[in-house]
């Protein structure tokens, strides 16, 4: 019975909390800025890897091409 009373008190406290705090925690737009920054960094890393792969392939083609 005490557990039910405690749970009801907690439920009332949560139900009466301010919605302003919840709205303040929401990010601007659909994707949070931190996620967009991480995505941009990942794209930069991908481009670096693609450039390195292209250079490696060009070196391999030079080494295997008959002169």
């Amino acid at each position: 019975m005490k557990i039910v009373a405690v749970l009801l008190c907690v439920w009332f406290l949560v139900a009466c909390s301010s919605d302003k705090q919840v709205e303040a925690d929401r990010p601007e737009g659909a994707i949070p800025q931190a996620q967009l920054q991480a995505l941009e960094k990942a794209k930069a890393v991908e481009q670096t890897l693609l450039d390195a792969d292209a250079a490696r392939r060009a070196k391999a083609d030079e080494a295997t091409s008959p002169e």
Side-chain angles (χ1 to χ4, degrees), residues 2 4 7 9 11 24 33 35 38-39 42 45 47-49 51 54 58 61 63 65-66:
K2 288 183 181 182
V4 173
L7 289 176
C9 288
W11 182 73
Q33 188 63 30
Q35 291 291 329
L39 180 62
V45 169
Q47 189 59 47
T48 302
L49 290 174
D51 292 344
D61 287 344
S65 64

Side-chain angles (χ1 to χ4, degrees), residues 10 17 19-20 24 27-28 35-36 41 43 45 51 53 66-67:
V10 170
S17 67
D19 288 337
K20 291 179 183 178
E28 298 290 325
Q35 291 291 329
L36 290 174
K41 285 181 182 180
K43 286 180 181 179
V45 169
D51 292 344
D53 183 51
E67 290 184 38

Side-chain angles (χ1 to χ4, degrees), residues 56-67:
R56 182 188 56 82
R57 287 176 185 259
K59 249 186 181 179
D61 287 344
E62 284 180 16
T64 58
S65 64
E67 290 184 38

Side-chain angles (χ1 to χ4, degrees), residues 6-24:
V6 170
L7 289 176
L8 282 175
C9 288
V10 170
W11 182 73
F12 283 127
L13 288 174
V14 171
C16 295
S17 67
S18 173
D19 288 337
K20 291 179 183 178
Q21 180 65 25
V22 174
E23 289 177 11

